[in-house]
Structures are given as structure tokens and as C-alpha cells.
């Protein structure tokens, strides 16, 4: 904590913290925007596929729907898509999975973890009720989307570390370019005034290097008038 007593140290810390906060806010906003976009696209893919199956059921009947589902389950065009046909109690009649974790017959959209897969991906699925009381479930494993989000998160953590180092460098540079005397005008004024008063009262002159240096600094800051009379600086 002794380092924080220095104004330049506090300046460096303030610049570093501001740099980090700005990066965190920006990174959080980008992550949230990308996550929302990927989630929206996944819902659109599921919604479009489910609409095609619903139209097939309406125009060709239940038998044709069962045939199409079994074909997609047996040889899927997209390995991340899943299809389920459930009875009124949620039991699987035909499907990619043996059960649906946390199944709710009143929900239109379901989200669960596919624990049967090795990487346990997250699944979003749309549920439709057929005329015979059965449920048609169309879903998507979010492998690609969640993998991309993890990549962004890891990159953001690495960039955060780089930003911390850069913020410390920027803060140190800002503190180094500002002379310490610029942050202590009141202290210099008081010191110079005391020096002038002491030199006038004792009729002294600067005989030591320290005294001459201090008086010259005071004169440069215009904190005391030039002294023309001979004076001697009493040793401290």
C-alpha cells in the first residue's frame, strides 16, 4: 500500500484500471451479441425443419411422417439434428435419443443436455403436438455454436491478459511522462515560501549545493521572488 501513496503510482493504477474496464465492457458486449446471434440462427434452423415435417404430416399423413423420421434417424443429413416422436406421456416411440431429459408436454421449446453423446452437447428442440396426441420433437445439438463461443471466450481471456499488461504499460508511461512536481504545486509553494522567509530572516545566502538547487527550483516555479542580497544558508 505504500506505493499507492505516490500520486504517480495512483495515476498509473487509474489508467490501467480504466483500460481494463473498457476492454471488459467491450468484450462482454461482443460475446453477448455473438451468443444471441448464434442462438437466433439455431432456433431458425430448427423452426424451418420442424415446419417442413409439419407440412409433410398435414399433406401425407402420419405413416409418411413416420417413414421420413425413421429415414432421417437412420441416415441423418446433419449429425447434429435430432428427431423424436413421443407419446402423450413423453415416452419415445421413435427417435435419435432414448429419452428427453426434463420433458414437459406444455413447453413449445425444450433445452437439455445430450448425455448419450461423448461431448454432452447442449440441445435446443421445438415440440409440436400432432392430431393423435403424440409429440413431434425437432432439435439441434449446439456443438458448433457452443464450440465457437468457447473459442471466443478463450481468446477473450488471452486478450484480457494482454490488455492487463498493456494497461500497466500505458499507465506507467502516463505516470512517467508527467513530472512529479506537477502534482505537488501546493507543497512546492509552501516549501519555497518557507525557504524565502528563512533566508530573509537570517540574512543568509546559499552556500550548499542542496540549498542552491532548492532555490533554483523555486525560482523556476515562480513561487518566490529572486533574492539579490547576500545570504548564507544555515546547515540543517
Amino acid at each position: 500500500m505504500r506505493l499507492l501513496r505516490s500520486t504517480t503510482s495512483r495515476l498509473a493504477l487509474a489508467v490501467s484500471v480504466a483500460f481494463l474496464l473498457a476492454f471488459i465492457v467491450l468484450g462482454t458486449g461482443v460475446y453477448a451479441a455473438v451468443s444471441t446471434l448464434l442462438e437466433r440462427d439455431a432456433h431458425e434452423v430448427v423452426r424451418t425443419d420442424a415446419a417442413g415435417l409439419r407440412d409433410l404430416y398435414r399433406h401425407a399423413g402420419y405413416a409418411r411422417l413416420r417413414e421420413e423420421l425413421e429415414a432421417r434417424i437412420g441416415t441423418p443429413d446433419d449429425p447434429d439434428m435430432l428427431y423424436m416422436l413421443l407419446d402423450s406421456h413423453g415416452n419415445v416411440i421413435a427417435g435419435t435419443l432414448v429419452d428427453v431429459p426434463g420433458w414437459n408436454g406444455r413447453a413449445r421449446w425444450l433445452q437439455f443436455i445430450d448425455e448419450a453423446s461423448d461431448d454432452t452437447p447442449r440441445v435446443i428442440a421445438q415440440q409440436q403436438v400432432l392430431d393423435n396426441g403424440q409429440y413431434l420433437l425437432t432439435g439441434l445439438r449446439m456443438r458448433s455454436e457452443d464450440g465457437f463461443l468457447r473459442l471466443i471466450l478463450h481468446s477473450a481471456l488471452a486478450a484480457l491478459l494482454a490488455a492487463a499488461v498493456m494497461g500497466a504499460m500505458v499507465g506507467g508511461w502516463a505516470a512517467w511522462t508527467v513530472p512529479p512536481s506537477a502534482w505537488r504545486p501546493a507543497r512546492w509553494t509552501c516549501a519555497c515560501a518557507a525557504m524565502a522567509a528563512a533566508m530573509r530572516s537570517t540574512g543568509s545566502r546559499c552556500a550548499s549545493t542542496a540549498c542552491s538547487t532548492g532555490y533554483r527550483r523555486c525560482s523556476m516555479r515562480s513561487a518566490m521572488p529572486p533574492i539579490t542580497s547576500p545570504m548564507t544558508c544555515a546547515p540543517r
Side-chain angles (χ1 to χ4, degrees):
M1 297 302 295
R2 182 176 298 178
L3 292 175
L4 296 181
R5 296 177 182 177
S6 170
T7 306
T8 55
S9 299
R10 291 196 296 269
L11 173 64
L13 180 62
V15 173
S16 303
V17 170
F19 197 87
L20 279 178
L21 288 178
F23 180 85
I24 291 173
V25 171
L26 179 61
T28 303
V30 171
Y31 182 86
V34 172
S35 176
T36 301
L37 181 62
L38 292 177
E39 198 83 15
R40 186 182 306 164
D41 289 345
H43 277 76
E44 188 61 31
V45 169
V46 172
R47 190 180 294 111
T48 301
D49 204 10
L53 292 175
R54 183 177 61 249
D55 291 340
L56 178 65
Y57 171 71
R58 288 178 178 176
H59 292 91
Y62 179 76
R64 181 68 183 88
L65 176 64
R66 282 288 302 267
E67 181 181 346
E68 178 66 21
L69 288 178
E70 290 173 357
R72 294 191 181 189
I73 294 169
T75 55
D77 295 331
D78 185 350
D80 285 338
M81 294 297 299
L82 58 84
Y83 305 94
M84 310 282 289
L85 193 62
L86 312 176
D87 62 17
S88 58
H89 301 289
N91 299 315
V92 178
I93 300 174
T96 309
L97 305 178
V98 296
D99 64 347
V100 180
W103 178 79
N104 184 358
R106 294 187 297 271
R108 184 181 181 187
W109 286 93
L110 301 175
Q111 188 168 161
F112 55 91
I113 301 298
D114 180 11
E115 297 180 354
S117 300
D118 295 335
D119 53 349
T120 60
R122 182 169 59 98
V123 177
I124 59 169
Q126 187 184 51
Q127 184 170 246
Q128 306 176 71
V129 183
L130 304 179
D131 296 336
N132 58 4
Q134 295 180 359
Y135 293 89
L136 173 62
L137 195 112
T138 308
L140 173 66
R141 296 182 180 94
M142 303 285 285
R143 283 193 178 103
S144 301
E145 292 78 2
D146 290 348
F148 184 68
L149 289 177
R150 283 194 297 270
L151 178 62
I152 291 180
L153 184 59
H154 293 162
S155 301
L157 292 177
L160 180 61
L161 178 61
V165 175
M166 188 177 298
M169 293 175 60
V170 171
W173 175 82
W176 179 76
T177 54
V178 178
S181 58
W183 301 95
R184 300 190 296 268
R187 187 184 303 177
W188 271 103
T189 301
C190 293
C192 292
M195 179 183 289
M199 294 173 76
R200 289 194 185 97
S201 63
T202 59
S204 61
R205 56 177 296 185
C206 280
S208 66
T209 303
C211 180
S212 300
T213 302
Y215 183 77
R216 185 165 57 252
R217 289 179 179 176
C218 288
S219 300
M220 287 190 295
R221 288 167 177 79
S222 302
M224 60 184 289
I227 300 175
T228 58
S229 59
M231 299 179 190
T232 303
C233 186
R236 296 183 61 179

